[in-house]
Amino acid sequence: MTAAAGTAGTGTGGTAAAGAGAGGAAAAVVADRFDRFTWSDTRAQSAGLRELAAELTGRHAGAGDLLTDVFLAAYKAGPRVREAAEMDATRLVNHRIVTELVESAEFTELRRETVGDPYAAAMAVLALAGALRRMLERGREAQDMAERAAAGTAGDPGAADHDRDDDGDGDRHESLGDGPDPDDAASEDAAPDLAADAAQRAAEAADAAARALAAAVPGIRGEAGNAAAKADRAAREEAALMRSWGVSGGELERMPFDGRARLAERLRTGRLAQWSELIGRFRQMAAAERARKVENTTGELVGVTLGDDLSRIVPSELASLGLPELRAVFAARYAAGELMLFDSQGEQNTGRGAVVACVDTSHSMYAAGPGGVTREAWAKACALALLDQARAAGRDFVGILFSAADRIQVFRFPAAEPAGIARTLDFAESFLGGGTSYQAPLTVAADLLAAEYDDASRMRGDIVMITDDECGVTERWTRDWNDAKRRLGFRVFGVAVGAPRAAAAGSVLEALCDNLRSVEDFTDVHAAADLFRVI
């Protein structure tokens, strides 16, 4: 951290403690008014911070200042911890706690997640709450002695009694005699001795407080390192959770504090929370497949061939156009289709309409496969990666959850609108149960693409059918389905999740799909990698 933070440890000795007066700083971390406003605003938004502050301040004097210091130490880009000699004597325990936190390697790692992010810094404070309670308890003896020392230096507690008369009416009375009262004279003579005694007691209390604080330091230091490590793990897990669900940093910054906290809790405890790593892996794999696409070609480059497609011409051929005597040769080779061109192979990404993912949520999809990964979790992860794929291509996405013929749920994600994490989670967490019907979801999908064609004249949509079951379709429905495919030009991809029967040759799913793949190992996200190269 900073050099100042490294030298703040001198506050455990008697000299530093004695030098810290009642008029010193209450805050260990130097802050400006903008920092203080950030803390006040964050605390006002967080019920958890307010409850923690109320609890700690009810038991420990100065706990409110400690929470401010810990927040700013996590939030500020370059926090500076004051020297112990600058601190109020009653805040030396706070100073020691903050110093041990800032100097720990674990807190440095934690700050990678919290710097500049008020929410993350507040979450770090809440994650450190248990350790802060214990560290304050370890320093309680030193705190009590420091408060007694500060009270002893505030003045002679008997001074007020000296100025009051016996009847307590607040007015001083002279004796009935003509001269000064002998008792008053005696009291005045004794005043210097009383002041000296009070100063002596304050000095002794300050030394005792310094010794108590020094004795508490090893425990505080151990608590600080362990607590910072725990808070760092919590911050990293939450950040990874947000990334796996595709929540961008900008979207998080726009969320109110409590709304972001509720989202984090939902992601941690939702029905698919245990599969967030799988979802993140799918999304990363889909992004990698998008990056592999070669611009202006129909697939991956595999060599050189001859032809007349100027969009794939080898750059060296263009050199002929720079020499007048070779231009005629170039024209002749072009006319004969003998120009050297980059050769490529693979499927062309021709989709322009919406991407529609039909996800089977029948009862059998709830079954667990290898590694405990359910078929439903795999299917939802694949569908969310398709959502990312559609948004990257500027295409609408529609998620259709289906089971029996009368159980359909449609989630629309227009390309022109933000996806919205709340709706994405609703799509991921919904489960219908029951049997399986192919006709119902595919009919809805075809109707959606037909409406898109009628409204925006967009063709060539893509339908992805993700299921683990096999069921029949009627002959009349099949004729209507084939007519819709010819009219709208959409493609149909099938993913048989852990169901060899559905992917078998001659199955209904194979007949309905242009491209069918079977996934047996649910933990291998690359089993569907080629799907994201062509959609």
Side-chain angles (χ1 to χ4, degrees):
M1 200 49 60
T2 63
T7 60
T10 59
T12 60
T15 302
V29 177
V30 178
D32 57 29
R33 61 190 181 94
F34 297 106
D35 297 327
R36 290 189 291 272
F37 172 79
T38 300
W39 162 247
S40 298
D41 182 59
T42 304
R43 177 177 167 174
Q45 294 183 51
S46 171
L49 284 179
R50 294 194 301 272
E51 291 170 2
L52 178 61
E55 175 203 341
L56 293 183
T57 54
R59 301 171 58 190
H60 304 279
D65 292 326
L66 176 61
L67 293 182
T68 304
D69 285 334
V70 174
F71 172 84
L72 294 178
Y75 171 74
K76 287 172 63 68
R80 182 172 72 83
V81 180
R82 286 187 169 87
E83 297 286 349
E86 301 176 50
M87 298 296 298
D88 187 296
T90 62
R91 296 297 183 269
L92 285 175
V93 172
N94 288 3
H95 182 272
R96 173 47 58 186
I97 292 173
V98 173
T99 299
E100 295 299 339
L101 276 174
V102 169
E103 290 182 346
S104 68
E106 295 83 358
F107 195 78
T108 301
E109 289 298 316
L110 170 63
R111 282 173 37 77
R112 297 178 186 273
E113 304 292 338
T114 61
V115 169
D117 187 341
Y119 171 85
M123 288 295 101
V125 174
L126 293 175
L128 292 166
L132 292 178
R133 293 186 189 97
R134 293 189 293 273
M135 286 188 281
L136 286 170
E137 285 298 326
R138 290 180 182 275
R140 178 181 286 278
E141 182 182 359
Q143 181 68 32
D144 292 343
M145 291 180 178
E147 290 173 9
R148 286 198 293 272
T153 58
D156 180 5
D161 294 335
H162 177 69
D163 288 337
R164 284 200 303 269
D165 65 349
D166 291 338
D167 61 11
D169 62 3
D171 296 324
R172 293 192 60 193
H173 299 286
E174 296 291 342
S175 64
L176 296 176
D178 294 334
D181 189 336
D183 293 336
D184 288 347
S187 298
E188 290 173 3
D189 291 339
D193 293 336
L194 292 174
D197 290 344
Q200 179 63 27
R201 289 193 301 271
E204 292 173 354
D207 288 340
R211 289 193 296 272
L213 182 56
V217 164
I220 290 175
R221 180 173 297 142
E223 285 281 2
N226 294 335
K230 180 181 178 182
D232 179 44
R233 287 194 299 272
R236 289 178 180 275
E237 287 172 2
E238 181 167 318
L241 197 62
M242 294 295 184
R243 286 193 296 269
S244 70
W245 283 96
V247 185
S248 66
E251 187 176 359
L252 289 175
E253 290 177 3
R254 291 190 296 271
M255 288 184 185
F257 185 97
D258 283 342
R260 185 169 170 180
R262 286 193 298 271
L263 171 61
E265 184 65 17
R266 183 179 181 185
L267 293 181
R268 280 192 293 266
T269 60
R271 200 166 56 81
L272 293 181
Q274 56 184 320
W275 314 127
S276 60
E277 181 183 357
L278 176 65
I279 292 169
R281 288 169 58 196
F282 254 99
R283 287 182 139 158
Q284 292 173 6
M285 179 267 294
E289 292 302 324
R290 287 196 297 273
R292 289 183 58 189
K293 292 183 179 180
V294 182
E295 189 176 1
N296 295 326
T297 68
T298 58
E300 298 181 10
L301 298 178
V302 295
V304 176
T305 187
L306 300 179
D308 59 359
D309 186 352
L310 297 179
S311 68
R312 296 188 290 127
I313 191 170
V314 174
S316 60
E317 289 280 25
L318 298 176
S320 300
L321 297 177
L323 300 174
E325 58 272 21
L326 295 179
R327 290 174 185 170
V329 176
F330 179 90
R333 294 178 60 202
Y334 172 70
E338 296 178 352
L339 294 174
M340 289 190 296
L341 309 176
F342 286 120
D343 192 15
S344 63
Q345 67 180 12
E347 296 176 88
Q348 186 177 9
N349 182 357
T350 60
R352 294 294 180 270
V355 176
V356 184
C358 299
V359 182
D360 187 351
T361 60
S362 61
H363 181 72
S364 59
M365 291 290 286
Y366 200 69
V373 181
T374 65
R375 296 174 178 180
E376 180 209 7
W378 196 97
K380 296 287 182 61
C382 184
L384 290 174
L386 288 170
L387 168 60
D388 289 348
Q389 196 81 351
R391 300 198 74 77
R395 302 168 66 183
D396 292 349
F397 176 82
V398 181
I400 300 177
L401 304 182
F402 71 92
S403 58
D406 58 344
R407 295 189 179 184
I408 295 287
Q409 198 167 0
V410 179
F411 295 83
R412 296 173 181 266
F413 298 89
E417 301 175 9
I421 183 61
R423 186 153 181 79
T424 301
L425 288 177
D426 288 341
F427 170 61
E429 292 181 324
S430 297
F431 188 82
L432 303 178
T436 305
S437 169
Y438 284 177
Q439 291 185 189
L442 291 176
T443 298
V444 172
D447 289 345
L448 288 169
L449 294 179
E452 182 182 43
Y453 173 74
D454 294 338
D455 295 340
S457 299
R458 280 200 297 267
M459 298 178 62
R460 302 200 306 275
D462 291 316
I463 298 174
V464 182
M465 186 76 167
I466 309 174
T467 181
D468 73 335
D469 205 353
E470 172 75 351
C471 66
V473 293
T474 66
E475 183 178 347
R476 178 177 179 180
W477 180 90
T478 303
R479 286 197 300 269
D480 293 340
W481 170 255
N482 291 331
D483 289 343
K485 282 189 66 176
R486 284 191 294 270
R487 182 169 71 91
L488 302 173
F490 59 77
R491 299 177 297 179
V492 184
F493 298 87
V495 181
V497 183
R501 187 166 62 92
S507 67
V508 174
L509 188 61
E510 183 189 44
L512 293 174
C513 297
D514 304 309
N515 186 314
L516 176 63
R517 70 222 349 109
S518 177
V519 179
E520 299 292 339
D521 184 359
F522 302 152
T523 61
D524 181 12
V525 298
H526 297 285
D530 60 326
L531 179 66
F532 299 96
R533 285 201 295 271
V534 297
I535 291 182

